[in-house]
Amino acid sequence: MSRSALLLLLGACLAAAQTPDTAILQGQVLDQTHGALAGVKMTARNTQSGLERIVETDVAGRFAIAGLPVAGRYDVTAAKAGFAEGRVSSITLTGGSTASVTLELSVEAGASQVTVTGVAGEVETGQPDIGVRIESGQAVEMPLLNRKISYLPLLNAANRPAINQGDVFMNQNLFTTNGAGRRQTWFEVDGATDNDSWGRQTTFSTLPLMSLEEMTVLSNAFSAEYGGSTGSVVNIVTRPGTSEFHGEILEAWRPADTAAALSGFTSANAASGNDLTSDTLGQSALGLSGPLGSGKTFFSLAGEFSREDRASPIISPVAPGKFVGHYRGWLAFLRLDHQINDRNNLFFRADIDGYHDTNPNGTVGGNSLPTVDRIFRRRTYSAELGETATLTPSLINNVRVQFQLASPITEFDPAIYGTQFQVPISAGGTFTTGTSQSALLLNHQYQGNDVLSTVHGRHQIRFGADVIYAHSGGNSKEFGGPIYLGQFVYNTCTQSLAYCESQAYLGNIANVRTYTQSYGNAWYTVDDTLWALFVQDDIRVSRNLTVNAGLRYEQQTFTDSRHDFAPRLGFAYNVAGTGRTVVRGGFGIYYSQIVDNSEANYALTGPTGVFNYTAAPGQIGFPTSIAAAPLPAFPAGAQAPLRSLYIRPGDASYYNQFFPTSTLIGYPNALRNPYSDQWTVGIERRIAPDWVLSVDYVGSHTTRINRPRDVDPPAPFIRTAPGQVRSAQAANCTRPYWIWWYAQNGTACNPNAATNPQPPYSVIQSDANDGYSNYDALDVNLRHRFSRRLTMLASYTWSHALDNVDPDIPGQNPNDANFTGRVEYGNAIFDQRHRFVLSGVWRGPWGIDFGGIATLASGLPYNIVTGVNNSGDTGATTDRPVINGVVVGRNAGRGGSIYDISPFLERVFSFHRERLRVTARAEAFNVFNHANFVGYSGTYGNGATSGAGFGSPLVGITNQLPARSLQFSVRAAF
């Protein structure tokens, strides 16, 4: 009997059909008259692992094969007595997707006709989400700096690098999406979170490149399964083991001699340790996978060890030369998969991410000597256990439990731990040795989630619950703040360098100008639980229309929000039912997590936190000798210094014992989670075989953004001409709390000079939820899945991001704390209007492959400031200059354009009938050495005209993207 099979894969819904690391294959089987066929045996077999799942169609001809691992490809067959067998081969599923299949079986001989849509690389006919999928082969081929997977999201133009907005010592790529901050990406690995609740800048534990099976970067995710973020979702599925042994080993190196110098400075005028003059990398990596025992258990392991040496010039005449900082990082990954039976699958994943850096954030360099160096360490561990159970053919349960330990999440250890000595030297420079500024912070995270999926008629319904408990904290902030062991600042030394650094000079208390020591408590802990419930129903309204409806409730116990409901609604319309064109759109509400290290501000800068006391010779608290430091306690009889506070919102009953919070202006009664309304509408079309074009409009409006705000602000200081300045004392006298305090004490505040006694606090800041932002964008993506030797992604985004405070950006104080609304509304610091990214690989003849990444983008804004404290609100404002009679708007400057061409060329050599493949590779980053600056000097000055250097690019690795460098590697795979 001959056969014919008409296969219509009517869509893959990226809206997390179950957990984001598995997929569902469902559909209907019909006969030639379009009648439903019951009792058809449907078999899906994974060609990589040998996993086989079998179900039968019901009376309506429908079937569902759920909980399918996405690694590998699937062969699907349909068999029923009296009909020819229907078959389709090599189906590639996407994590968190549902592929719908319609088969029409025939009893007559004839050629098989197969139409495939909705699988990886094709038009997505059943989902409203916007994003790109990066499979393992594409990830390995892309030129990635230091081979870090955190650079992969930049292949999607909707994501923008944020190196000038975060901590460079994290040694990861930080990025922003959809007008949200750098802490707003939700990372998911194998169905469990990889977010760090303490800081949320990057993944909790970074994975080796060889462990990656696929990465889906969703710039908009409409499933109610996702939450805790107003930015993008990065869903990672790790590589499982296979039924055959496979392995690879790699050695990569990036010599400093082939690299170009960063622009804007030389080794003679470098200002900081971030002004690198050389950067050398060596990296070793390996991967191995295969079966264990009876063939139902598989393993996969991978590891990396990186060695990077970065030279920072020291221009101080005290000890000129260069300081080489050493970065050493190691990654380890292990995964075990076990098929218990045909209904239950189990997996275990463990990974380790550890590194140390002997010159974090350029501590040493410029005029800073190695004697003030601090070593940064970070070690994280993750262990996850997951089980997928097929309770019935249409009822699937996925459970995941995970433990994560960051020990430490942040650790700074001084190279010379002790009292600090600072000696200005008349010949130039300052000799500094020792510091007691250290930090040790840890994070323990526990997670459990369960998702129950069922298919009922036209409905695919998921119910889920997720709980993440985080216990974090420790000593001090990231870079360390308190100087408990004290600091001596000396009078300028006019003798020789040797004498100025000698014990004879340092040991004489008569040479000391001031002594400073920290007092108070720098320890804090945070217990935070993030829990959520969700329901998602993907409704097949008709053969061509799918409606995605969901509702999520989430709560973060660290905050005071208790009504965070997040509805989601989306649709996908398969025009003409051919699978070639889809119109899609959606709306959703998304809540953002408040990072747990916000508690560091409340604890260390609160009324019982840390403060510095400085004494000069003859004053109370000045040591009697060098050996008398540090002082055992706050000196008796000394007056506590005027302090600035940072207090938690919604805790008036606690703070009232220190000062009446009723005197404050705008002190929030609660700490709330920001939220975002997001909406999209777009079209996706297969314009030719293997070519898919998508065009989407994206809009969002975010409110309740947290911002630091002085809630005891001085009276407004309206400036209408350049040069106007108010002293800090005059400003303090107008503060509401100061007015109350002097009234209570029956005295008057002297605006010209501080008097004794005076109020204990000046600036009182809190986190006010009065920030808001708007974002509009056009996202265009053209992708070509691998065929005819080519795979390619061309991604373009036009966007405009506006806000009145930039989320997750340091130094976001307003021009005047009394006015934080419309007057502060302007371009966001990451408002990059145009961004285009072209990436791809062309496999040429003779085993030669060529490809790379090309990025072209417009410049970024920068804030224009006076550089002085005009308003007198010390530490609480960022004063902007008066130009043409008005204070210039926020982020009014604009930097230059950015472009980067990073190609690669490789040659594959095959041995032993291609059982061994050796690849020699050369790649270049920024091959044309374009100076890509992202930071600019916004210091206009306090005069009528701009000062020298205004608008000039800032230098160093925190302000510019890398200069040209060449990287080479050899990889052997078997």
Side-chain angles (χ1 to χ4, degrees), residues 301-314:
L301 59 86
E304 287 181 9
F305 178 59
S306 298
R307 310 163 297 280
E308 189 171 7
D309 297 325
R310 297 175 288 205
S312 302
I314 298 174

Side-chain angles (χ1 to χ4, degrees), residues 684-746:
E684 187 171 51
R685 177 172 174 80
R686 178 160 57 89
I687 58 177
D690 301 318
W691 289 91
V692 175
L693 173 68
S694 63
V695 180
D696 296 277
Y697 163 75
V698 178
S700 72
H701 174 66
T702 303
T703 58
R704 298 198 321 207
I705 298 174
N706 272 10
R707 69 176 310 148
R709 182 176 179 180
D710 188 353
V711 293
D712 187 31
F717 182 64
I718 308 300
R719 291 179 288 126
T720 58
Q724 295 173 319
V725 176
R726 177 175 61 179
S727 70
Q729 179 64 18
N732 286 340
C733 286
T734 67
R735 294 182 183 276
Y737 167 58
W738 281 51
I739 294 172
W740 174 89
W741 190 92
Y742 278 104
Q744 290 294 109
N745 287 272

Side-chain angles (χ1 to χ4, degrees), residues 119-262:
V119 293
E122 281 289 342
V123 172
E124 306 292 353
T125 58
Q127 56 89 17
D129 300 309
I130 302 173
V132 298
R133 174 183 180 269
I134 303 165
E135 52 89 22
S136 59
Q138 182 182 3
V140 169
E141 293 287 1
M142 290 298 98
L144 305 175
L145 198 65
N146 292 20
R147 301 182 70 251
K148 292 184 180 295
I149 66 173
S150 56
Y151 285 95
L152 287 171
L154 297 184
L155 299 182
N156 185 345
N159 302 311
R160 300 157 180 83
I163 66 166
N164 63 328
Q165 302 163 29
D167 297 323
V168 68
F169 60 83
M170 295 297 296
N171 284 285
Q172 291 292 334
N173 173 59
L174 309 177
F175 58 92
T176 64
T177 308
N178 293 347
R182 62 188 166 91
R183 301 182 192 269
Q184 295 306 311
T185 299
W186 181 272
F187 293 98
E188 189 98 359
V189 177
D190 294 333
T193 184
D194 203 32
N195 295 321
D196 161 32
S197 292
W198 181 80
R200 276 200 66 164
Q201 291 198 83
T202 183
T203 56
F204 192 101
S205 295
T206 303
L207 293 164
L209 183 58
M210 289 182 181
S211 70
L212 185 69
E213 177 67 23
E214 71 170 40
M215 174 187 289
T216 304
V217 184
L218 299 176
S219 52
N220 288 86
F222 282 100
S223 171
E225 187 163 356
Y226 293 116
S229 171
T230 58
S232 62
V233 171
V234 176
N235 179 33
I236 298 172
V237 179
T238 61
R239 181 176 298 177
T242 59
S243 57
E244 297 181 354
F245 286 102
H246 296 277
E248 56 184 322
I249 185 170
L250 175 140
E251 187 68 26
W253 62 98
R254 190 176 67 232
D257 294 340
T258 62
L262 291 169

Side-chain angles (χ1 to χ4, degrees), residues 193-194 204-206 330 332 349-355 378-384 402-409 442-445:
T193 184
D194 203 32
F204 192 101
S205 295
T206 303
W330 52 96
R349 173 181 58 85
D351 44 78
I352 301 173
D353 176 5
Y355 64 88
R378 176 182 167 103
R379 292 182 298 273
T380 61
Y381 312 85
S382 298
E384 179 191 5
Q402 180 173 244
F403 170 67
Q404 294 174 299
L405 170 65
S407 179
I409 193 72
L442 294 83
N443 186 14
H444 300 71
Q445 288 189 181

Side-chain angles (χ1 to χ4, degrees), residues 416-737:
I416 301 176
Y417 184 75
T419 302
Q420 187 172 90
F421 303 90
Q422 290 188 5
V423 183
I425 299 173
S426 60
T430 299
F431 170 72
T432 305
T433 182
T435 181
S436 57
Q437 291 182 288
S438 62
L440 178 60
L441 297 154
L442 294 83
N443 186 14
H444 300 71
Q445 288 189 181
Y446 309 83
Q447 181 188 13
N449 68 56
D450 190 89
V451 179
L452 187 66
S453 308
T454 183
V455 178
H456 181 71
R458 297 179 180 271
H459 298 264
Q460 180 186 299
I461 306 172
R462 281 99 64 205
F463 305 91
D466 186 19
V467 179
I468 302 171
Y469 169 72
H471 175 77
S472 60
N475 172 38
S476 194
K477 295 184 180 181
E478 288 179 319
F479 258 84
I483 45 176
Y484 288 128
L485 300 186
Q487 177 193 67
F488 287 102
V489 178
Y490 289 73
N491 297 310
T492 300
C493 180
T494 60
Q495 306 296 317
S496 66
L497 293 179
Y499 179 74
C500 293
E501 300 175 20
S502 69
Q503 186 59 34
Y505 187 82
L506 297 177
N508 188 350
I509 193 68
N511 295 326
V512 176
R513 184 169 75 242
T514 60
Y515 174 75
T516 301
Q517 185 173 326
S518 298
Y519 301 90
N521 180 29
W523 284 86
Y524 73 94
T525 58
V526 182
D527 291 293
D528 188 15
T529 301
L530 292 87
W531 64 273
L533 301 172
F534 80 89
V535 59
Q536 180 76 28
D537 187 3
D538 297 334
I539 310 165
R540 181 68 59 81
V541 178
S542 68
R543 179 178 176 182
N544 299 332
L545 177 63
T546 301
V547 173
N548 313 93
L551 179 64
R552 180 182 180 89
Y553 174 80
E554 58 188 62
Q555 185 181 124
Q556 181 183 5
T557 59
F558 180 64
T559 71
D560 302 313
S561 296
R562 296 296 179 266
H563 303 288
D564 291 352
F565 290 93
R568 314 282 170 82
L569 182 65
F571 74 93
Y573 179 66
N574 182 4
V575 179
T578 63
R580 291 176 55 89
T581 304
V582 170
V583 177
R584 61 193 180 190
F587 172 84
I589 295 178
Y590 303 80
Y591 288 88
S592 171
Q593 178 187 351
I594 300 295
V595 292
D596 291 347
N597 68 6
S598 300
E599 180 64 24
N601 288 328
Y602 312 145
L604 272 68
T605 324
T608 60
V610 176
F611 65 93
N612 291 340
Y613 178 77
T614 301
Q619 295 180 334
I620 298 175
F622 189 82
T624 57
S625 67
I626 299 297
L631 302 180
F634 186 74
Q639 181 182 1
L642 184 65
R643 297 173 58 189
S644 295
L645 300 184
Y646 205 121
I647 62 176
R648 188 193 191 280
D651 210 357
S653 60
Y654 168 73
Y655 292 117
N656 281 334
Q657 64 181 306
F658 304 102
F659 52 85
T661 56
S662 59
T663 64
L664 305 181
I665 297 176
Y667 172 60
N669 60 8
L671 177 62
R672 293 185 174 89
N673 297 88
Y675 73 91
S676 175
D677 300 327
Q678 298 182 16
W679 55 93
T680 71
V681 62
I683 186 171
E684 187 171 51
R685 177 172 174 80
R686 178 160 57 89
I687 58 177
D690 301 318
W691 289 91
V692 175
L693 173 68
S694 63
V695 180
D696 296 277
Y697 163 75
V698 178
S700 72
H701 174 66
T702 303
T703 58
R704 298 198 321 207
I705 298 174
N706 272 10
R707 69 176 310 148
R709 182 176 179 180
D710 188 353
V711 293
D712 187 31
F717 182 64
I718 308 300
R719 291 179 288 126
T720 58
Q724 295 173 319
V725 176
R726 177 175 61 179
S727 70
Q729 179 64 18
N732 286 340
C733 286
T734 67
R735 294 182 183 276
Y737 167 58

Side-chain angles (χ1 to χ4, degrees), residues 42 148 223 284 309 323 328 337 363 398 424 483 486 580 641 658 665 709 749 790-791 825 837-838 849 868-869:
M42 303 297 302
K148 292 184 180 295
S223 171
S284 304
D309 297 325
F323 179 80
R328 300 293 183 266
D337 289 83
T363 304
N398 284 275
I483 45 176
R580 291 176 55 89
F658 304 102
I665 297 176
R709 182 176 179 180
C749 181
L790 175 68
T791 181
Y825 189 65
V837 182
L838 176 65
D849 299 341
V868 300
N869 184 13

Side-chain angles (χ1 to χ4, degrees), residues 354-384:
Y355 64 88
H356 69 263
D357 190 343
T358 63
N359 194 18
N361 212 34
T363 304
V364 179
N367 278 301
S368 298
L369 302 178
T371 50
V372 298
D373 189 24
R374 283 178 289 177
I375 300 172
F376 177 72
R377 293 181 173 88
R378 176 182 167 103
R379 292 182 298 273
T380 61
Y381 312 85
S382 298
E384 179 191 5

